[in-house]
Amino acid sequence: MAVLKKIRSRWWSPAAEEFQPEAEQPRPALAGQLYDIRPLTISHLDECWRLDQRCFVDGEAYSRETFEYLLTAPEAVSFRATTIAGSMVGFVVGLIEPDHTGHITTVGVAPDHRRRRLAKRLMAEVEKGFRQRDVRLVRLEVRSLNVAAQRLYESLGYAVTQRLPKYYSNGGDGLLMLKSLD
Ligand SMILES: CC(C)(COP(=O)(O)OP(=O)(O)OC[C@H]1O[C@@H](n2cnc3c(N)ncnc32)[C@H](O)[C@@H]1OP(=O)(O)O)[C@@H](O)C(=O)NCCC(=O)NCCS
């Protein structure tokens, strides 16, 4: 239960609170680097956990136990982005909920590999995995101040359907976003 509570309260980051307009965020230099999108399994537990701590520098990083739960759950649909050399630089974890909606529980990309469409590719892959398991509706929660993530989701066709007052443990509001896969 504690694990699930933690999962639900994930979607915020102080990086988002400190969000600066796009023009003030220089894009990283390695824009030409190539990446692969591959399945994320329990064999990547430690690498994923370490990367998560680099993505969520706010004390809201998942515990190793939470990742262990997520990566062994039969209802999980998870992918990682790797460099050609094989290092993990991004991840996404989706869960098929009992009501058969797809739930994006977390997505993260290493700071020095952002703005190269990795999150977009990871999200596309998890949606494909959901479709293959007959999921027709995807949901996620995002902190109201996490503008970067909201723009990502909007660009993929997610729409805000509800504000979730004080959804986060620190009192911040969340936004519920939905996308139909039909
Ligand atoms: C949010 C996050 C996953 C985006 O990863 P990313 O690989 O950089 O995103 P992409 O390159 O696929 O971006 C796709 C689109 O999303 C939007 N976007 C992504 N980051 C943005 C930012 N910082 N500012 C504005 N728009 C942004 C843009 O529309 C972008 O398209 P563009 O680059 O052509 O303008 C990444 O910033 C991250 O890991 N943040 C910390 C963890 C987090 O907040 N996760 C989500 C909530 S749990």
Side-chain angles (χ1 to χ4, degrees):
M1 211 52 163
V3 169
L4 291 175
K5 183 160 185 273
K6 181 72 176 172
I7 289 170
R8 288 197 199 94
S9 63
R10 174 57 177 282
W11 292 83
W12 80 284
S13 83
E17 293 197 72
E18 292 156 13
F19 175 79
Q20 297 175 345
E22 197 168 343
E24 295 170 29
Q25 292 192 337
R27 293 186 182 216
L30 299 171
Q33 191 162 337
L34 297 175
Y35 302 93
D36 281 333
I37 305 296
R38 301 176 182 175
L40 172 62
T41 71
I42 191 66
S43 66
H44 311 110
L45 173 61
D46 284 322
E47 194 179 9
C48 187
W49 176 46
R50 279 195 299 270
L51 176 58
D52 184 71
Q53 288 171 329
R54 292 178 56 212
C55 292
F56 293 88
V57 289
D58 48 9
E60 285 290 311
Y62 278 174
S63 67
R64 191 175 182 282
E65 178 196 27
T66 298
F67 271 113
E68 193 170 5
Y69 165 80
L70 287 172
L71 298 181
T72 52
E75 61 274 21
V77 180
S78 314
F79 294 93
R80 64 198 160 110
T82 68
T83 63
I84 293 303
S87 304
M88 193 190 305
V89 294
F91 58 88
V92 62
V93 181
L95 281 179
I96 300 174
E97 299 287 357
D99 63 1
H100 216 65
T101 57
H103 187 191
I104 306 288
T105 61
T106 185
V107 56
V109 172
D112 45 344
H113 294 267
R114 288 180 186 165
R115 300 310 291 270
R116 292 176 213 167
R117 308 267 161 101
L118 287 180
K120 233 173 176 168
R121 288 175 62 188
L122 286 162
M123 291 286 291
E125 206 62 35
V126 81
E127 287 176 6
K128 189 171 149 196
F130 281 153
R131 272 195 194 91
Q132 286 168 351
R133 291 172 67 172
D134 292 325
V135 167
R136 291 289 168 262
L137 183 69
V138 185
R139 79 167 206 259
L140 57 85
E141 298 85 20
V142 60
R143 187 174 165 83
S144 62
L145 296 176
N146 192 345
V147 179
Q150 286 169 45
R151 291 206 181 141
L152 164 70
Y153 305 137
E154 283 161 5
S155 77
L156 292 167
Y158 289 79
V160 175
T161 58
Q162 196 181 334
R163 193 170 185 99
L164 306 169
K166 299 187 176 163
Y167 181 78
Y168 294 94
S169 49
N170 73 347
D173 289 356
L175 301 175
L176 177 66
M177 299 186 82
L178 298 182
K179 176 178 176 177
S180 166
L181 297 183
D182 286 331

